Amino acid sequence: MEKNILYGGEVLENFPQKYKSLGEFYYDKLYDAGNETEIDFFCWQIDANSGRILSRKELLDKTERLAGYLTKLGIKPGHSIAIVSENRLEFPVVVLAAFFSGTALNPLSPTYTEKEILHAFTIVQPRVVFVSPAVMDKVKAVLKKLNLRSILIQLDEDGKRGRQAFNFSDIIKIDRLKPKNKLKPPTVDIAKTVALILLSSGTTGLQKCVQITHLNLLAALSSTMELFVHFERNKDVILTVMPWCHCFALMTTLRLLAFGVRIVSLPRFEEGKYIKAIEDYSVSVCFVAPPVMLWFSKAPILEKHNLRTIREIYSGSAPLSIEIVQSIQKRIPNLQVVYNGYGLTETTTGVLHADSRKSKSNSIGCLWRGIWGKVVHQETGAVLPPNTPGELCFKGGQVMLGYMGNEEETRNAIDADGWLHTGDIGYHDDDKEFFIVGRAKELIKYKGFQVPPAELEALLLGHPKVKDAAVIGLSDEVAGELPMALVVKKSNISVREEELIYFIDGQVSYPKKLRGGLKFVDEIPKNANGKIMRQELKKKYGKIKGFSSKL
């Protein structure tokens, strides 16, 4: 093995070798659960908004019927279907029915614009689309523009039936769709058969359609198994609010389903409902995006509520400073650990994981089992030694098949040896822990020096008067770009721009000083994964004139 190429170790159980498809894997898990005692399969998922519940036995029954319906329609491996919906009880039924029938599923956010949905459907060409009532008109308009004759099915178990589409609740009541004996999901070539088509959260241009195969998902489940097997069935309660149309959230739900852990879900983050769900259902584990981590560390309202049941918190998408972790630990008295991770849609799930009890400050952690990692020089491709920043690259069974309908971008992302080039800049130390410096496309270039926005943002978030922050490059004819901070200050707090600039400039090297100035804003725009929408900020603030700057 080449020097400085790291490996996370062998997986505990190799699911790709054991199962012939995702359908077979999940049918095995659900069928066993459905035949356990009444108390053991009583409640798998709870919709905290409505109070509706879904047992594992009901999940199996509904999934079998829906898979039978898809088969009757002629849906098979090689075809695709879509779901455009918020988190709701029908969502996992649709996902598993796709796995059971061997078809590819394209989950889309209901917050997407008509243009974004049209872009996805143009590539995916779904034969069936499951739709939340709230976005039915938008989806119908897209199908009309594309002249697609997709079958529309309205998700209506909350009582909102559709008149111009088939209703989900009617389909899952058809007895003849349920198999007389055990269902036999189709056997597929797991390395080539696409299971999910997920939209990447790219920083520029329209999103790409990432093809995730049965192999990718089974490998990802094997890789992260050790972190999930310690959850106790019928005791642990997991709260998730991240949208299931996105990779991190969907993979989290699929893992919890595989290991039979109870889930409480919300369609979106709303402060009052989130706190109520924690208290009402004695939540023990929270899976959150970075903005909720920030909320946990700073929101005054938390001091008035009982959060003693929370034992673990899982986050991802951004490094966590030791200050944020310590602040959360002070507010949640029985919190034992905060887990953080790093991954991309293109890697199916996380490839790195950090444990607040063991990992270094600002570390994004070590490699998951079954994953190879290296850091390479951006121009020469040479493998770099420890503590030397370069582009992060990963390899393993969970690296995507490619971008659907875009071979050129696929070749740019995955090299001839199977390494995925992430475009993220980072390094690993002598202890094999990884650290993120920034996104290659997001680095601010000041007089040839590279300034990572994430570093300055972490420092700003450590200030007691700052609620949220983002750093962008302000265009400058002489320097190229000047680091500029956009800050949301805490409510009813007085703080001046100069105070925060002085706070930052005293902690950073010469090129990283806030020469572009600092501006107070009402909010920092972020996508559903919690990532800062820098392009939007640059369009709005990146060419502002009149800031006093010193070169």
Side-chain angles (χ1 to χ4, degrees), residues 265-284:
S265 64
L266 284 165
R268 67 190 65 83
F269 180 79
E270 295 177 66
E271 189 176 74
K273 290 183 178 180
Y274 193 81
I275 294 172
K276 188 175 187 299
I278 293 172
E279 295 178 329
D280 287 355
Y281 298 104
S282 299
V283 168
S284 54

Side-chain angles (χ1 to χ4, degrees), residues 1-71:
M1 183 173 66
E2 189 176 347
K3 189 176 181 181
N4 296 317
I5 292 181
L6 307 183
Y7 183 54
E10 295 300 319
V11 297
L12 300 180
E13 187 172 356
N14 195 321
F15 294 139
Q17 288 185 358
K18 185 176 180 181
Y19 293 96
K20 298 175 182 176
S21 70
L22 275 168
E24 184 183 48
F25 173 82
Y26 276 104
Y27 191 75
D28 180 53
K29 299 297 181 184
L30 277 177
Y31 192 85
D32 287 346
N35 282 281
E36 292 169 0
T37 61
E38 180 68 24
I39 191 171
D40 195 33
F41 64 73
F42 170 65
C43 176
W44 171 67
Q45 184 187 349
I46 303 169
D47 184 324
N49 256 356
S50 65
R52 292 191 299 136
I53 65 173
L54 179 69
S55 73
R56 290 196 293 276
K57 185 176 182 180
E58 289 173 323
L59 177 59
L60 174 60
D61 181 69
K62 291 179 179 181
T63 302
E64 284 181 325
R65 292 169 191 255
L66 188 58
Y69 178 75
L70 292 175
T71 301

Side-chain angles (χ1 to χ4, degrees), residues 288-361:
V288 301
V292 180
M293 291 298 289
L294 194 58
W295 173 80
F296 266 127
S297 73
K298 294 176 178 286
I301 192 174
L302 295 181
E303 298 170 7
K304 303 175 183 178
H305 292 271
N306 179 12
L307 306 179
R308 292 182 178 277
T309 60
I310 299 177
R311 186 185 73 242
E312 302 172 17
I313 298 178
Y314 292 71
S315 183
S317 301
L320 292 175
S321 69
I322 188 65
E323 291 80 13
I324 288 179
V325 173
Q326 289 174 344
S327 175
I328 294 173
Q329 288 172 328
K330 289 178 182 178
R331 289 162 154 257
I332 305 176
N334 294 327
L335 182 65
Q336 296 177 10
V337 60
V338 174
Y339 291 104
N340 195 20
Y342 166 88
L344 304 90
T345 306
E346 289 84 348
T347 59
T348 309
T349 184
V351 290
L352 300 169
H353 63 106
D355 181 327
S356 64
R357 298 166 298 187
K358 306 172 185 177
S359 302
K360 300 181 179 74
S361 177

Side-chain angles (χ1 to χ4, degrees), residues 253-267:
T253 302
L254 289 173
R255 290 192 192 98
L256 295 171
L257 171 58
F259 299 113
V261 187
R262 183 171 300 175
I263 296 175
V264 174
S265 64
L266 284 165

Side-chain angles (χ1 to χ4, degrees), residues 281-480:
Y281 298 104
S282 299
V283 168
S284 54
V285 183
C286 296
F287 282 83
V288 301
V292 180
M293 291 298 289
L294 194 58
W295 173 80
F296 266 127
S297 73
K298 294 176 178 286
I301 192 174
L302 295 181
E303 298 170 7
K304 303 175 183 178
H305 292 271
N306 179 12
L307 306 179
R308 292 182 178 277
T309 60
I310 299 177
R311 186 185 73 242
E312 302 172 17
I313 298 178
Y314 292 71
S315 183
S317 301
L320 292 175
S321 69
I322 188 65
E323 291 80 13
I324 288 179
V325 173
Q326 289 174 344
S327 175
I328 294 173
Q329 288 172 328
K330 289 178 182 178
R331 289 162 154 257
I332 305 176
N334 294 327
L335 182 65
Q336 296 177 10
V337 60
V338 174
Y339 291 104
N340 195 20
Y342 166 88
L344 304 90
T345 306
E346 289 84 348
T347 59
T348 309
T349 184
V351 290
L352 300 169
H353 63 106
D355 181 327
S356 64
R357 298 166 298 187
K358 306 172 185 177
S359 302
K360 300 181 179 74
S361 177
N362 296 319
S363 164
I364 205 70
C366 300
L367 289 165
W368 279 111
R369 292 180 181 272
I371 300 295
W372 301 84
K374 64 180 180 179
V375 180
V376 302
H377 192 282
Q378 287 178 266
E379 295 177 2
T380 67
V383 180
L384 298 174
N387 303 302
T388 307
E391 184 180 18
L392 302 181
C393 298
F394 300 97
K395 185 177 181 179
Q398 61 195 65
V399 171
M400 67 169 182
L401 179 64
Y403 297 117
M404 191 172 191
N406 199 331
E407 293 184 8
E408 181 181 354
E409 287 288 354
T410 299
R411 287 193 297 270
N412 291 338
I414 304 174
D415 65 26
D417 296 319
W419 285 95
L420 177 74
H421 292 251
T422 66
D424 287 328
I425 306 302
Y427 63 93
H428 63 78
D429 64 11
D430 293 311
D431 298 320
K432 301 181 180 180
E433 285 196 57
F434 282 76
F435 298 80
I436 302 295
V437 174
R439 179 86 182 153
K441 294 179 181 178
E442 293 178 352
L443 291 175
I444 298 167
K445 306 293 177 62
Y446 170 76
K447 291 187 174 181
F449 292 96
Q450 294 186 338
V451 180
E455 178 184 344
L456 299 178
E457 288 158 3
L459 291 174
L460 283 165
L461 291 173
H463 193 284
K465 297 180 180 179
V466 172
K467 181 180 179 181
D468 203 357
V471 174
I472 61 172
L474 183 69
S475 298
D476 184 87
E477 291 181 358
V478 177

Side-chain angles (χ1 to χ4, degrees), residues 133-158:
V135 292
M136 178 60 77
D137 290 342
K138 183 162 53 177
V139 171
K140 287 174 65 179
V142 169
L143 295 177
K144 185 176 180 180
K145 285 183 179 180
L146 292 175
N147 197 28
L148 277 179
R149 296 183 177 180
S150 308
I151 295 172
L152 282 173
I153 299 175
Q154 180 158 311
L155 304 174
D156 68 321
E157 286 199 306
D158 55 5

